[in-house]
Amino acid sequence: MSETAQTIDKRAETVELAMELFWRQGYADTSMAQIVKETGLNRYALYSMFADKRALFLATLEHYFERCSCVFEPIITNTAIPPLDRIRLSMKTWIAMQEARRNGCLMCQVAVDQAQEDPAIAKAVDGYFTQILGMIAIPLQEAADLLNPNLTPDTAAQLIFDSEMSIG
């Protein structure tokens, strides 16, 4: 494996381990010393990959979004499945993920704990929520004629999104 590939792998591993730590403990209660211990990196290596704790945290939020997108995008965009069944399947998948984690949705935690304090974190959370809402709207737009006539696909998507986030 090339040195570049090793660096990329180590960075990805570091982000994953830090994400799990932030998820369990929260941003404020996670110290750089704990991250050093969890990742097995020394401080120099960690700071050469990420400028500071905040930069690492933002990388973990991006990683979380990518991980969730990899789960939900194939469900939502699978046109072989009827549109409302895609919504049902995505909701069942979301519930199963939350039951497996037992500590809820990372982005929901961050929205409550950190987003008001930091514009970059707020932007990351808002981007995640906007993307998920957009994914939910896709099959609802395809099935607009099957929806309650008092609901637009976007309103129905917002209701489903709010329901899903309340579980996380």
Side-chain angles (χ1 to χ4, degrees):
M1 184 182 297
S2 72
E3 187 174 328
T4 303
Q6 287 176 336
T7 301
I8 291 169
D9 286 349
K10 191 60 181 172
R11 186 180 196 286
E13 179 185 352
T14 300
V15 168
E16 178 70 26
L17 292 169
M19 181 187 72
E20 292 296 329
L21 196 56
F22 287 131
W23 207 343
R24 280 193 314 269
Q25 299 180 177
Y27 179 81
D29 293 334
T30 301
S31 69
M32 287 304 281
Q34 290 170 317
I35 295 168
V36 165
K37 182 179 179 186
E38 185 80 13
T39 62
L41 295 173
N42 61 43
R43 284 184 182 270
Y44 176 79
L46 191 58
Y47 282 112
S48 69
M49 280 190 254
F50 305 96
D52 54 22
K53 178 179 157 182
R54 181 176 169 272
L56 175 56
F57 186 64
L58 288 168
T60 67
L61 296 181
E62 183 179 331
H63 175 67
Y64 179 81
F65 173 72
E66 290 168 1
R67 196 161 91 172
C68 288
S69 293
C70 288
V71 171
F72 291 103
E73 194 168 349
I75 295 169
I76 292 297
T77 59
N78 185 349
T79 57
I81 301 172
L84 296 182
D85 289 342
R86 286 184 263 157
I87 293 294
R88 287 184 194 96
L89 181 56
S90 72
M91 290 183 78
K92 287 179 183 178
T93 302
W94 177 258
I95 291 167
M97 286 172 62
Q98 299 317 304
E99 288 174 343
R101 284 294 316 179
R102 290 287 182 219
N103 55 345
C105 169
L106 175 62
M107 286 293 185
C108 292
Q109 289 176 8
V110 172
V112 171
D113 296 339
Q114 293 300 124
Q116 297 85 12
E117 300 172 19
D118 186 317
I121 291 172
K123 184 178 178 181
V125 170
D126 185 57
Y128 170 79
F129 287 161
T130 299
Q131 288 283 350
I132 296 296
L133 187 59
M135 280 195 262
I136 294 168
I138 292 169
L140 292 171
Q141 290 164 352
E142 294 170 22
D145 59 321
L146 301 174
L147 298 178
N148 178 319
N150 297 320
L151 289 177
T152 66
D154 289 340
T155 302
Q158 186 68 57
L159 291 169
I160 291 167
F161 173 82
D162 291 346
S163 296
E164 287 182 350
M165 293 303 114
S166 70
I167 294 169

